[in-house]
Coordinates of all heavy atoms in Angstrom, one line a residue:
A1 N 86.1 184.8 268.3 CA 85.1 183.9 269.1 C 83.7 184.1 268.6 O 83.0 183.1 268.4 CB 85.3 184.1 270.5
K2 N 83.3 185.3 268.4 CA 81.9 185.6 268.0 C 81.6 185.1 266.6 O 80.6 184.5 266.3 CB 81.6 187.1 268.1 CG 80.1 187.4 267.8 CD 79.2 186.8 268.7 CE 77.7 187.2 268.4 NZ 76.8 186.5 269.3
Q3 N 82.6 185.4 265.7 CA 82.4 184.9 264.3 C 82.4 183.4 264.3 O 81.6 182.8 263.5 CB 83.6 185.4 263.4 CG 83.3 185.3 262.0 CD 84.1 186.3 261.1 OE1 84.1 187.5 261.5 NE2 84.8 185.8 260.1
M4 N 83.2 182.7 265.0 CA 83.2 181.3 265.1 C 81.8 180.8 265.6 O 81.2 179.8 265.1 CB 84.3 180.7 265.9 CG 85.7 180.9 265.3 SD 85.8 180.2 263.7 CE 85.8 178.5 264.1
Q5 N 81.3 181.4 266.7 CA 80.0 181.1 267.2 C 78.9 181.2 266.2 O 78.1 180.3 266.0 CB 79.7 181.9 268.4 CG 78.3 181.7 269.0 CD 77.9 182.8 270.0 OE1 78.5 183.8 270.2 NE2 76.7 182.5 270.6
L6 N 79.0 182.3 265.4 CA 77.9 182.5 264.4 C 78.0 181.4 263.3 O 76.9 181.0 262.8 CB 78.1 183.8 263.7 CG 77.8 185.0 264.6 CD1 78.2 186.3 263.9 CD2 76.3 185.1 265.0
L7 N 79.2 180.9 263.0 CA 79.3 179.8 262.0 C 79.1 178.4 262.6 O 78.3 177.6 262.0 CB 80.6 180.0 261.3 CG 80.8 181.3 260.5 CD1 82.2 181.3 259.9 CD2 79.7 181.5 259.5
K8 N 79.9 178.1 263.6 CA 79.8 176.8 264.2 C 78.4 176.5 264.8 O 77.8 175.5 264.5 CB 80.9 176.6 265.3 CG 82.3 176.3 264.8 CD 83.3 176.3 265.9 CE 82.9 175.2 266.9 NZ 83.9 175.2 268.1
G9 N 78.0 177.3 265.7 CA 76.8 177.1 266.5 C 75.6 177.0 265.6 O 74.8 176.1 265.7
E10 N 75.5 178.0 264.7 CA 74.3 178.0 263.8 C 74.3 176.8 262.9 O 73.2 176.2 262.6 CB 74.3 179.3 263.0 CG 73.0 179.6 262.3 CD 72.8 178.8 261.1 OE1 73.7 178.3 260.4 OE2 71.6 178.6 260.7
S11 N 75.4 176.4 262.4 CA 75.5 175.2 261.5 C 75.1 173.9 262.2 O 74.3 173.1 261.6 CB 76.8 175.1 260.8 OG 77.8 174.8 261.7
A12 N 75.5 173.7 263.4 CA 75.1 172.5 264.1 C 73.6 172.6 264.4 O 72.9 171.6 264.2 CB 75.8 172.4 265.4
F13 N 73.1 173.7 264.8 CA 71.6 173.9 265.1 C 70.8 173.6 263.8 O 69.9 172.8 263.8 CB 71.3 175.3 265.5 CG 69.9 175.6 265.7 CD1 69.2 175.2 266.8 CD2 69.2 176.3 264.7 CE1 67.8 175.4 267.0 CE2 67.8 176.5 264.9 CZ 67.1 176.1 266.0
W14 N 71.3 174.1 262.7 CA 70.6 173.9 261.4 C 70.6 172.4 261.0 O 69.6 171.8 260.6 CB 71.3 174.7 260.3 CG 70.8 174.4 258.9 CD1 69.7 174.8 258.3 CD2 71.5 173.5 258.0 NE1 69.7 174.3 257.0 CE2 70.8 173.5 256.8 CE3 72.7 172.8 258.1 CZ2 71.2 172.7 255.7 CZ3 73.1 172.1 257.0 CH2 72.4 172.0 255.8
A15 N 71.8 171.8 261.1 CA 71.9 170.4 260.7 C 71.0 169.5 261.6 O 70.4 168.6 261.1 CB 73.4 169.9 260.8
N16 N 71.0 169.8 262.9 CA 70.1 169.0 263.8 C 68.7 169.2 263.6 O 67.8 168.3 263.7 CB 70.6 169.2 265.2 CG 72.0 168.7 265.5 OD1 72.4 167.7 264.8 ND2 72.7 169.3 266.3
R17 N 68.3 170.5 263.4 CA 66.9 170.8 263.1 C 66.4 170.1 261.9 O 65.2 169.7 261.8 CB 66.7 172.3 263.0 CG 65.3 172.7 262.8 CD 65.1 174.2 262.5 NE 65.7 174.5 261.2 CZ 66.4 175.6 260.9 NH1 66.8 176.4 261.9 NH2 66.9 175.8 259.7
N18 N 67.3 169.9 260.9 CA 66.9 169.3 259.6 C 67.2 167.8 259.6 O 67.0 167.1 258.6 CB 67.6 170.0 258.5 CG 67.0 171.3 258.2 OD1 65.9 171.4 257.8 ND2 67.7 172.4 258.6
G19 N 67.6 167.2 260.7 CA 67.9 165.8 260.8 C 68.9 165.2 259.8 O 68.7 164.1 259.3
L20 N 70.0 165.9 259.6 CA 70.9 165.5 258.6 C 71.8 164.4 259.1 O 72.4 163.7 258.2 CB 71.8 166.7 258.2 CG 71.1 167.9 257.6 CD1 72.1 168.9 257.1 CD2 70.3 167.4 256.4
T21 N 71.9 164.1 260.4 CA 72.7 163.0 260.9 C 71.9 162.2 261.8 O 71.0 162.7 262.5 CB 74.0 163.5 261.6 OG1 73.6 164.2 262.8 CG2 74.9 164.4 260.7
K22 N 72.2 160.9 261.9 CA 71.5 160.0 262.7 C 71.6 160.4 264.2 O 70.5 160.4 264.9 CB 72.1 158.6 262.5 CG 71.4 157.5 263.3 CD 72.0 156.1 263.0 CE 71.3 155.1 263.8 NZ 71.8 153.7 263.5
N23 N 72.7 160.7 264.7 CA 72.9 161.0 266.1 C 73.2 162.5 266.4 O 73.6 162.9 267.5 CB 74.1 160.2 266.7 CG 73.8 158.7 266.6 OD1 72.7 158.3 266.9 ND2 74.8 157.9 266.2
G24 N 72.9 163.3 265.4 CA 73.1 164.8 265.6 C 74.6 165.2 265.3 O 75.5 164.4 265.3
L25 N 74.7 166.5 264.9 CA 76.0 167.1 264.6 C 76.4 167.9 265.8 O 75.7 168.8 266.2 CB 75.9 167.9 263.3 CG 77.2 168.7 263.0 CD1 78.4 167.8 262.8 CD2 76.9 169.6 261.8
E26 N 77.5 167.6 266.4 CA 78.1 168.4 267.4 C 79.5 168.8 267.0 O 80.3 167.9 266.6 CB 78.1 167.7 268.8 CG 76.8 167.6 269.5 CD 77.0 167.0 270.8 OE1 77.5 167.7 271.7 OE2 76.7 165.8 271.0
W27 N 79.9 170.1 267.2 CA 81.2 170.5 267.0 C 82.0 170.5 268.3 O 81.4 170.7 269.3 CB 81.2 171.9 266.4 CG 80.6 172.2 265.1 CD1 79.5 173.0 264.9 CD2 80.9 171.6 263.9 NE1 79.2 172.9 263.5 CE2 80.0 172.1 262.9 CE3 81.9 170.6 263.5 CZ2 80.1 171.7 261.6 CZ3 81.9 170.3 262.1 CH2 81.1 170.8 261.2
A28 N 83.3 170.2 268.2 CA 84.2 170.3 269.4 C 84.1 171.7 269.9 O 83.9 172.7 269.1 CB 85.6 169.9 269.0
D29 N 84.4 171.9 271.1 CA 84.4 173.3 271.7 C 85.6 174.1 271.2 O 85.4 175.3 271.0 CB 84.6 173.2 273.2 CG 83.3 172.6 273.9 OD1 82.2 172.7 273.3 OD2 83.5 172.0 275.0
K30 N 86.7 173.5 270.9 CA 87.9 174.2 270.5 C 87.9 174.4 269.0 O 87.2 173.7 268.2 CB 89.2 173.5 270.9 CG 89.3 173.4 272.4 CD 90.6 172.7 272.7 CE 90.8 172.6 274.2 NZ 92.1 171.9 274.5
Y31 N 88.7 175.4 268.5 CA 88.9 175.7 267.1 C 90.3 176.2 267.0 O 90.9 176.6 268.0 CB 87.8 176.6 266.5 CG 87.8 177.9 267.2 CD1 88.6 179.0 266.8 CD2 86.9 178.2 268.2 CE1 88.5 180.2 267.5 CE2 86.8 179.4 268.9 CZ 87.6 180.4 268.5 OH 87.6 181.6 269.1
F32 N 90.8 176.3 265.8 CA 92.1 176.9 265.5 C 91.9 178.0 264.5 O 91.3 177.8 263.5 CB 93.1 175.8 264.9 CG 94.4 176.3 264.5 CD1 95.4 176.5 265.5 CD2 94.7 176.7 263.2 CE1 96.6 177.0 265.1 CE2 95.9 177.2 262.9 CZ 96.9 177.3 263.8
A33 N 92.5 179.1 264.8 CA 92.5 180.3 263.9 C 93.9 180.9 263.8 O 94.6 180.9 264.7 CB 91.5 181.3 264.4
A34 N 94.2 181.2 262.6 CA 95.5 181.9 262.3 C 95.4 182.9 261.2 O 94.5 182.7 260.3 CB 96.6 180.8 261.9
S35 N 96.2 183.9 261.2 CA 96.2 184.8 260.1 C 97.0 184.3 259.0 O 97.9 183.5 259.2 CB 96.7 186.2 260.5 OG 98.0 186.1 261.0
V36 N 96.8 184.8 257.8 CA 97.5 184.3 256.6 C 98.0 185.5 255.8 O 97.2 186.4 255.5 CB 96.6 183.5 255.7 CG1 97.4 183.0 254.4 CG2 96.0 182.3 256.4
S37 N 99.3 185.6 255.5 CA 99.8 186.7 254.8 C 99.4 186.6 253.3 O 99.1 185.5 252.8 CB 101.4 186.7 254.9 OG 101.9 185.6 254.3
N38 N 99.3 187.7 252.6 CA 98.9 187.7 251.2 C 99.7 186.8 250.3 O 99.1 186.2 249.4 CB 98.9 189.1 250.7 CG 97.8 190.0 251.2 OD1 96.8 189.5 251.7 ND2 98.0 191.3 251.2
D39 N 100.9 186.6 250.6 CA 101.7 185.8 249.7 C 101.6 184.3 249.9 O 102.1 183.5 249.2 CB 103.2 186.2 249.8 CG 103.8 186.0 251.1 OD1 103.1 186.1 252.1 OD2 105.1 185.7 251.2
K40 N 100.8 183.9 251.0 CA 100.5 182.5 251.3 C 99.1 182.1 251.0 O 98.7 181.0 251.2 CB 100.9 182.2 252.7 CG 102.3 182.5 253.1 CD 103.3 181.6 252.4 CE 104.7 181.9 252.9 NZ 105.7 181.7 252.0
I41 N 98.2 183.1 250.6 CA 96.8 182.8 250.5 C 96.6 181.7 249.4 O 95.8 180.8 249.6 CB 96.0 184.0 250.1 CG1 95.9 184.9 251.4 CG2 94.6 183.7 249.6 CD1 95.2 186.2 251.2

């Protein structure tokens, strides 16, 4: 959750501060995370 916050939250803040989209960038609240075994990377 913290790692996602650091990536998702900061990227939306950055995009909006820099006016990259007309109506702003907002991420959905949810995300999906899964582990991956070495043989599937």
Side-chain angles (χ1 to χ4, degrees):
K2 183 62 177 177
Q3 194 156 312
M4 293 301 294
Q5 176 192 5
L6 290 171
L7 298 179
K8 281 176 58 182
E10 193 283 336
S11 62
F13 176 79
W14 169 82
N16 294 330
R17 183 184 69 223
N18 288 290
L20 297 185
T21 64
K22 183 178 178 180
N23 297 318
L25 173 63
E26 284 187 75
W27 297 120
D29 293 334
K30 295 181 180 181
Y31 58 86
F32 176 82
S35 61
V36 179
S37 62
N38 285 339
D39 64 330
K40 303 294 185 210
I41 287 178

